[in-house]
């Protein structure tokens, strides 16, 4: 039986394999070998039993069906290979022509590209893959740059750590922190109060509240480092508010150690009304001098998002005195709003408290908002300009007035 199988395999290799190679068939002829060996066994059984006959027609049908299946499979695979190769050649031509084609494309993406129903759909799909590849490259480049920056920062930190380890620098930093803390503690007993009104949370978005808290943090740091700091009060402060959450993000464990006063009460319940002055850019009254006996209130909000007059309306509703900074009196103002950030207001108030010099205090106003300082107030400059214009006109202006008087008298006589 084994010798018969070996003989059949030799016959298949010598006769069937050339036929399969001409028709593009695979050389996997295990099913065919099994069929022939089975037929040979049947033939041996028929030789033992001469009464039974071998069904050659059924054997031929089996062989033909196997050959047809193998031929169809190889033809389909050849077609797929040829179509994928052609598609890759088309992609290479489009890339050389300057179209948006990805540099690397997988087999699945190539198959999806070939299945696109129209040329425009193929172009859109390739553009999508190209943009996706560009985004990946850009993200990788950003990650590499970030890694390089981190390594450079670590190197700088390692270099600066050597200087920080210097005992003199550490002693100086500790002494300054203690000095700032002592001044802030004194201001809580003897310092002039400065109130931040924290009742504008409903009028702002989450992003604007975060921006406001960032400005207040800068203001608190500036006040703590000053020579004569204010005693800062946070009034109308709710424990579950967005203000509180943002302060916790900034200060973390130091929030409970800040030398400030936080209360949910209104400032009218904490201080006498006649001492309160609400600072707002919408006030018709201009602040002339800094009064050390008054208690100034600053609205904790971002003025860009608030409608004009909100803080002024709140102050009037509570019956408080209002004031605005004399920006037009000392600055040649450009076009734009006169609203300042909270840290800028803190710098201005601290400078006024220490020096009383408006020119020095208003240097903290951004340079883009004004052209320069004026030596005289603006209304006096307008008077001098009008006088100069009148002197330039001279007699001509008097003649115009006389002519106007004559014409006016003629009209009256005609009536």
């Amino acid at each position: 039986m084994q010798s018969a199988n070996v003989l059949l395999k030799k016959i298949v290799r010598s006769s069937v394999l050339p036929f399969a190679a001409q028709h593009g068939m695979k050389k996997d002829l295990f099913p065919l070998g099994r069929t022939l060996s089975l037929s040979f066994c049947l033939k041996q059984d028929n030789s033992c039993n001469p009464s039974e006959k071998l069904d050659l027609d059924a054997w031929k049908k089996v062989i033909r069906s196997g050959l047809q299946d193998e031929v169809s499979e190889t033809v389909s695979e050849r077609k797929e290979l040829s179509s994928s190769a052609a598609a890759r050649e088309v992609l290479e031509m489009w890339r050389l022509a300057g179209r948006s084609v990805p540099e690397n494309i997988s087999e699945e993406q190539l198959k999806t590209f070939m299945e696109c129903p129209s040329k425009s759909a193929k172009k859109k799909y390739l553009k999508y893959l190209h943009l996706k590849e560009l985004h990946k490259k850009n993200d990788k480049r950003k990650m590499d740059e970030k890694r390089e920056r981190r390594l450079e920062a670590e190197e700088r930190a390692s270099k600066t750590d050597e200087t920080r380890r210097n005992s003199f620098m550490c002693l100086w930093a500790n002494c300054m922190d203690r000095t700032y803390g002592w001044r802030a503690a004194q201001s809580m007993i003897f310092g002039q109060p400065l109130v931040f009104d924290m009742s504008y949370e409903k009028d702002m978005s989450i992003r604007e509240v975060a921006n406001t808290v960032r400005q207040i943090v800068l203001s608190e740091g500036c006040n703590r480092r000053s020579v004569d700091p204010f005693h800062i009060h946070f009034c109308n402060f709710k424990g579950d508010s967005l203000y509180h959450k943002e302060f916790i993000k900034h200060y973390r464990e130091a929030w409970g150690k800040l030398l400030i006063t936080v209360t949910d009460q209104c400032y009218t319940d904490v201080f006498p009304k006649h001492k309160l002055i609400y600072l707002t850019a919408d006030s018709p009254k201009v602040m002339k001098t800094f009064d050390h006996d008054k208690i100034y209130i600053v609205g904790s909000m971002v003025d860009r998002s608030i409608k004009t007059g909100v803080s002024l309306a709140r102050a009037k509703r509570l019956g408080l005195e209002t004031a605005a900074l004399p920006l037009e009196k000392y600055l040649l103002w450009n076009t734009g709003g006169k609203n300042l950030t909270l840290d800028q207001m803190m710098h201005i108030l601290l400078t006024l408290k220490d020096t009383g010099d408006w020119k020095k205090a208003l240097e903290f106003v951004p340079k883009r908002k004004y052209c320069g300082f004026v030596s005289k107030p603006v209304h006096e400059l307008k008077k001098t300009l009008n006088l100069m214009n009148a002197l330039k006109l001279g007699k001509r202006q008097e003649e115009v007035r006389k002519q106007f008087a004559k014409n006016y008298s003629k009209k009256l006589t005609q009536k």
Side-chain angles (χ1 to χ4, degrees):
M1 182 68 181
Q2 291 179 357
S3 60
N5 285 333
V6 172
L7 181 62
L8 277 174
K9 287 180 181 178
K10 287 182 180 180
I11 294 170
V12 168
R13 289 174 184 171
S14 61
S15 61
V16 179
L17 286 179
F19 175 79
Q22 290 178 1
H23 291 81
M25 292 173 56
K26 284 186 173 180
K27 294 181 180 181
D28 186 9
L29 297 173
F30 289 109
L32 183 60
R34 286 197 298 270
T35 307
L36 291 175
S37 62
L38 181 61
S39 64
F40 187 79
C41 292
L42 290 173
K43 193 172 182 181
Q44 274 189 346
D45 294 339
N46 289 335
S47 63
C48 296
N49 299 321
S51 60
E52 296 179 1
K53 293 182 179 180
L54 180 63
D55 192 357
L56 294 175
D57 294 332
W59 181 76
K60 289 178 181 178
K61 286 180 181 179
V62 171
I63 292 177
R64 287 175 182 173
S65 62
L67 290 174
Q68 287 177 359
D69 293 338
E70 292 291 334
V71 170
S72 61
E73 287 179 3
T74 52
V75 169
S76 62
E77 287 182 0
R78 279 192 173 186
K79 284 183 179 179
E80 288 179 359
L81 292 173
S82 61
S83 59
S84 62
R88 288 190 179 276
E89 289 179 0
V90 169
L91 292 178
E92 189 65 27
M93 290 173 61
W94 285 5
R95 187 184 295 108
L96 294 174
R99 295 186 181 180
S100 300
V101 179
E103 294 181 0
N104 301 318
I105 186 167
S106 63
E107 293 295 332
E108 294 180 359
Q109 293 173 348
L110 186 66
K111 189 175 180 181
T112 308
F113 167 74
M114 293 164 59
E115 291 175 356
C116 291
S118 62
K119 190 175 180 180
S120 62
K122 290 180 179 180
K123 288 181 180 179
K124 290 180 181 178
Y125 182 66
L126 288 176
K127 188 175 181 180
Y128 160 72
L129 294 178
H130 179 65
L131 292 175
K132 188 177 179 181
E133 190 177 53
L134 288 179
H135 284 305
K136 284 185 179 179
K137 289 182 179 179
N138 195 19
D139 292 340
K140 187 178 179 182
R141 179 181 58 80
K142 287 181 179 178
M143 290 294 292
D144 294 338
E145 292 177 355
K146 189 175 180 181
R147 190 181 299 108
E148 290 177 0
R149 286 197 298 268
R150 190 177 68 250
L151 292 174
E152 290 178 359
E154 288 177 357
E155 291 178 0
R156 291 175 185 173
S158 62
K159 291 179 181 179
T160 54
D161 283 342
E162 296 177 359
T163 58
R164 286 180 181 176
R165 288 171 187 171
N166 193 349
S167 59
F168 177 75
M169 296 297 294
C170 293
L171 181 63
W172 175 261
N174 292 331
C175 289
M176 292 305 297
D177 286 338
R178 290 179 183 178
T179 304
Y180 295 150
W182 177 250
R183 288 176 183 173
Q186 282 184 325
S187 69
M188 294 188 71
I189 303 172
F190 307 107
Q192 182 180 0
L194 178 67
V195 178
F196 282 93
D197 187 3
M198 315 294 285
S199 62
Y200 295 96
E201 180 183 341
K202 296 180 181 178
D203 300 320
M204 293 186 293
S205 62
I206 299 175
R207 192 173 184 179
E208 291 162 348
V209 171
N211 191 14
T212 303
V213 170
R214 197 177 302 115
Q215 294 177 14
I216 295 175
V217 170
L218 293 174
S219 302
E220 188 273 332
C222 170
N223 180 69
R224 189 168 57 89
R225 291 187 296 271
S226 65
V227 178
D228 186 14
F230 287 103
H231 178 196
I232 296 177
H233 290 258
F234 290 168
C235 293
N236 297 317
F237 189 88
K238 307 295 181 182
D240 56 347
S241 62
L242 289 174
Y243 285 117
H244 184 251
K245 294 178 182 177
E246 291 296 327
F247 277 123
I248 293 296
K249 286 182 182 178
H250 280 275
Y251 287 110
R252 297 181 182 178
E253 295 84 5
W255 168 247
K257 301 177 183 178
L258 289 178
L259 297 175
I260 59 175
T261 300
V262 181
T263 178
D264 58 350
Q265 293 181 338
C266 185
Y267 32 83
T268 54
D269 301 330
V270 180
F271 304 103
K273 274 189 177 183
H274 66 277
K275 285 190 175 183
L276 296 174
I277 298 178
Y278 209 112
L279 297 177
T280 172
D282 304 318
S283 176
K285 186 179 178 181
V286 179
M287 182 179 174
K288 295 181 180 179
T289 57
F290 184 86
D291 194 345
H292 294 269
D293 295 328
K294 296 290 185 180
I295 300 169
Y296 293 98
I297 305 170
V298 180
S300 301
M301 60 182 176
V302 178
D303 287 323
R304 291 180 182 176
S305 64
I306 305 297
K307 296 179 181 178
T308 56
V310 174
S311 56
L312 180 63
R314 180 172 178 80
K316 285 185 176 180
R317 189 165 56 249
L318 295 172
L320 301 178
E321 184 182 354
T322 61
L325 297 180
L327 300 177
E328 289 186 348
K329 184 177 180 180
Y330 295 96
L331 301 176
L332 294 173
W333 197 262
N334 288 333
T335 57
K338 296 181 177 61
N339 300 320
L340 302 175
T341 59
L342 299 176
D343 53 316
Q344 292 166 3
M345 284 293 298
M346 178 62 79
H347 280 290
I348 292 170
L349 292 174
L350 285 171
T351 308
L352 283 175
K353 184 181 179 183
D354 296 337
T355 63
D357 188 359
W358 278 106
K359 189 173 181 180
K360 192 173 181 180
L362 294 178
E363 288 179 354
F364 293 100
V365 177
K367 305 294 182 184
R368 68 180 184 276
K369 292 193 174 185
Y370 64 94
C371 301
F373 288 90
V374 294
S375 57
K376 294 182 179 180
V378 177
H379 65 277
E380 293 183 8
L381 289 175
K382 288 181 179 179
K383 287 181 181 179
T384 54
L385 288 173
N386 292 332
L387 182 60
M388 291 172 64
N389 292 329
L391 291 173
K392 286 180 181 179
L393 291 174
K395 295 181 180 180
R396 185 179 175 185
Q397 189 174 7
E398 294 179 0
E399 290 176 358
V400 170
R401 287 178 180 176
K402 288 179 182 180
Q403 189 66 30
F404 176 76
K406 287 180 182 180
N407 295 334
Y408 187 71
S409 60
K410 285 180 181 180
K411 288 181 181 180
L412 290 175
T413 53
Q414 286 176 3
K415 289 181 179 180

